[in-house]
């Protein structure tokens, strides 16, 4: 039985552990502190300390190499989040050659992480891309907002750190921009991309591509987010029938990149006008990948591709059940807090009233009846975090100081 080391966790970790366990692998969770309680999953066989790749990449590399040198059973490593995916791409030659990497090819990862470069590739492949300007100073940022015009969105070109405390900054008007951005962001960003914002819901395509050809693909529509608007992290997501244009562009993009592995191009789809624009590309698992798992064996197929034993896909790669929904209750709690802080009482009441309905009619992002402990602990985290150390360690394994995470 081969052991797979899973690193840098988010809510997708539970689906990853379940899928790898279903393939007969032994799942080892590499932890650096809080990990959404993935360590409590019954599909995780063991936990070991591994430094966070964002805060300590050299320590993470040392931890992984030392672990693999001691453990002949570890045959692969699976990156869950964006930072770990980039880390494995950049440091592949520093890792044991025999260690199988469960991620897209390094060249695909490094190409697609640069949002400005990726926008240019998408444009060359025939995808509609909104006008954009790349800046590296606050003065240029202000000038770019005038040149692009409102509404606009500001995103980091390379870093996956938050931007002004958000995933991205959506500015419907100059007053919003002035309120949010009063200087260059404190987060570690070398360049920002200012882009014209086209209205519409975010549609994520989760694909598995083999040598530039789509093996399987799913289109998911983000219905609600943590901000209460169209930006932010998805809290309610639904599988939908793929738009013919979006499907054509996804195939073109996979071919243009020569893509091999799992990835997720994102689009904005305006239901009113029918307009579609390319937003960005994530060369990793979608954080809400559990939704994809309800309509096809997505992670299993990604793992089999990495292992070189992926069976042929369906004639139509877009073969999946439409109308399936996923609800992230913990993320929705963040939305309620934001609405409360903004004193949007009517919005707060409407969102809160719908939570029971979504819980009853959707797949839960974290909770599963056959693996309930991680989700239950996650909702009890405010209490657990204040427990005495001896009790807290039963939920969050103690790790060496040098491996503590963000």
């Amino acid at each position: 039985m081969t052991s797979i080391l899973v690193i840098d966790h988010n809510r997708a970790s539970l689906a990853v552990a379940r899928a790898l366990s279903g393939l007969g692998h032994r799942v080892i969770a590499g932890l650096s502190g809080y990990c959404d309680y993935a360590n409590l999953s019954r599909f995780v066989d063991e936990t070991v300390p591994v430094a966070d790749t964002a805060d300590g990449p050299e320590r993470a590399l040392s931890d992984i190499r030392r672990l693999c040198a001691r453990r002949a059973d570890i045959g692969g490593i699976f990156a869950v989040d964006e930072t770990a995916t980039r880390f494995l791409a950049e440091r592949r030659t520093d890792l044991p050659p025999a260690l199988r990497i469960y991620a897209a090819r390094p060249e695909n990862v490094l190409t697609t992480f640069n949002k400005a470069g990726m926008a240019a590739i998408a444009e060359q492949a025939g995808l509609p891309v909104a006008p954009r300007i790349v800046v590296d100073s606050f003065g240029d940022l202000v000038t770019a907002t005038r040149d692009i015009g409102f509404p606009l969105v500001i995103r980091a070109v390379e870093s996956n750190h938050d931007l002004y405390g958000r995933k991205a900054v959506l500015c419907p008007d100059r007053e919003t921009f002035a309120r949010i951005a009063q200087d260059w962001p404190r987060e570690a960003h070398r360049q920002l991309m200012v882009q014209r914002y086209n209205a519409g819901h975010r549609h994520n395509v989760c694909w598995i591509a083999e040598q530039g050809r789509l093996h399987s693909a799913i289109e998911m529509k983000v219905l609600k987010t943590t901000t209460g608007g169209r930006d932010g992290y998805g809290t309610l997501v639904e599988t939908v029938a793929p738009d013919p244009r979006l499907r054509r562009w996804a195939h073109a993009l996979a071919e243009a990149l020569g893509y091999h592995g799992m990835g997720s191009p994102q689009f904005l789809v305006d239901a009113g006008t029918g307009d579609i624009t390319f937003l960005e590309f994530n060369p990793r698992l979608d954080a809400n990948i559990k939704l994809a798992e309800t309509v096809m064996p997505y992670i299993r197929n990604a793992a089999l591709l990495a292992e070189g034993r992926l069976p042929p896909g369906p004639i139509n790669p877009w073969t999946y059940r439409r109308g399936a929904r996923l609800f992230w209750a913990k993320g929705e709690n963040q939305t309620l807090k934001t609405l409360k802080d903004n004193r949007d009482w009517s919005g707060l009441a409407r969102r809160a009233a719908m939570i029971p309905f979504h819980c009853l009619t959707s797949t839960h992002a974290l909770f599963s009846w056959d693996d309930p402990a991680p989700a239950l602990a996650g909702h009890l985290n405010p209490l657990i975090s204040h427990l005495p150390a001896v009790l807290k360690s039963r939920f969050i394994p103690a790790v060496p100081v040098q491996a503590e995470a963000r």
Side-chain angles (χ1 to χ4, degrees):
M1 179 182 291
T2 301
S3 296
I4 308 298
L5 177 65
V6 181
I7 62 170
D8 283 21
H9 302 273
N10 60 29
R11 60 188 179 277
S13 298
L14 301 178
V16 170
R18 179 188 292 268
L20 293 178
S21 179
L23 282 170
H25 295 306
R26 194 169 179 277
V27 179
I28 302 176
L31 305 182
S32 54
Y34 180 74
C35 60
D36 279 327
Y37 295 101
N39 54 296
L40 299 182
S41 171
R42 73 181 185 90
F43 298 105
V44 171
D45 299 283
E46 181 184 355
T47 60
V48 296
V50 175
D52 185 272
T53 59
D55 297 332
E58 295 304 322
R59 294 197 303 274
L61 178 63
S62 177
D63 289 344
I64 294 168
R65 293 177 66 172
R66 187 164 50 245
L67 185 63
C68 291
R70 290 201 319 264
R71 301 279 298 271
D73 62 303
I74 297 178
I77 183 168
F78 197 115
V80 176
D81 79 355
E82 189 165 292
T83 304
T85 301
R86 183 169 187 166
F87 168 81
L88 293 180
E90 292 176 336
R91 307 309 294 267
R92 180 63 187 99
T93 57
D94 297 323
L95 295 168
L99 188 67
R100 178 174 287 116
I101 306 298
Y102 289 80
R105 281 178 175 163
E107 57 268 29
N108 292 146
V109 172
L110 298 179
T111 295
T112 56
F113 258 123
N114 186 293
K115 290 181 173 58
M118 188 63 234
I121 292 172
E123 209 164 42
Q124 292 170 4
L127 280 67
V129 183
R132 60 206 178 274
I133 298 174
V134 174
V135 299
D136 57 13
S137 71
F138 184 69
D140 288 344
L141 175 61
V142 174
T143 300
T145 63
R146 289 198 297 264
D147 293 341
I148 291 293
F150 294 92
L152 56 81
V153 61
I154 307 171
R155 290 176 291 154
V157 169
E158 289 189 335
S159 173
N160 68 318
H161 294 298
D162 281 351
L163 177 62
Y164 296 109
R166 306 152 187 250
K167 181 180 180 182
V169 178
L170 175 58
C171 300
D173 49 47
R174 183 161 297 282
E175 290 71 26
T176 303
F177 170 74
R179 186 178 69 252
I180 296 173
Q182 299 174 10
D183 203 343
W184 190 256
R186 291 193 301 270
E187 301 96 345
H189 298 295
R190 292 184 301 171
Q191 292 182 312
L192 302 179
M193 185 168 72
V194 182
Q195 191 168 25
R196 180 74 180 178
Y197 182 78
N198 293 332
H201 284 280
R202 192 163 72 238
H203 285 233
N204 301 342
V205 173
C206 294
W207 78 30
I208 295 171
E210 188 174 17
Q211 307 290 354
R213 296 177 62 87
L214 295 190
H215 173 277
S216 46
I218 305 166
E219 182 177 342
M220 305 191 303
K221 180 181 180 180
V222 179
L223 300 174
K224 294 181 182 292
T225 75
T226 51
T227 66
R230 298 288 174 84
D231 57 335
Y233 300 97
T235 60
L236 183 65
V237 188
E238 180 180 38
T239 59
V240 296
D243 182 282
R245 295 166 298 167
L246 188 149
R247 182 169 55 189
R248 183 173 70 252
W249 291 328
H251 283 276
L253 191 58
E255 184 177 359
L257 291 166
Y259 204 87
H260 190 83
M262 51 191 164
S264 179
Q266 297 183 343
F267 300 83
L268 289 175
V269 180
D270 189 329
T273 65
D275 291 340
I276 300 177
T277 53
F278 173 77
L279 181 62
E280 64 180 8
F281 189 97
N282 293 317
R284 54 162 172 82
L285 280 180
D286 189 289
N288 288 319
I289 201 62
K290 187 178 178 182
L291 176 58
E293 285 288 287
T294 67
V295 297
M296 73 164 58
Y298 182 91
I299 298 173
R300 176 187 176 89
N301 286 343
L304 290 175
L305 176 62
E307 295 168 7
R309 54 194 185 106
L310 178 66
I315 296 175
N316 175 16
W318 305 82
T319 302
Y320 59 91
R321 179 166 56 91
R322 279 68 160 160
R325 286 191 171 189
L326 177 137
F327 182 58
W328 182 30
K330 189 176 178 182
E332 190 69 358
N333 289 340
Q334 297 177 27
T335 311
L336 298 182
K337 183 179 183 303
T338 299
L339 293 172
K340 177 177 176 292
D341 291 343
N342 294 337
R343 305 180 68 84
D344 183 356
W345 307 117
S346 60
L348 176 63
R350 287 195 302 270
R351 294 289 286 249
M354 291 301 296
I355 287 178
F357 174 78
H358 295 318
C359 286
L360 291 172
T361 59
S362 307
T363 296
H364 292 245
L366 295 174
F367 181 79
S368 299
W369 286 106
D370 62 347
D371 192 26
L376 295 178
H379 285 286
L380 292 172
N381 183 60
L383 173 63
I384 293 172
S385 62
H386 289 93
L387 290 175
V390 65
L391 295 176
K392 183 178 177 181
S393 64
R394 294 177 178 271
F395 298 93
I396 305 176
V399 297
V401 173
Q402 66 270 21
E404 287 183 353
R406 56 181 183 273

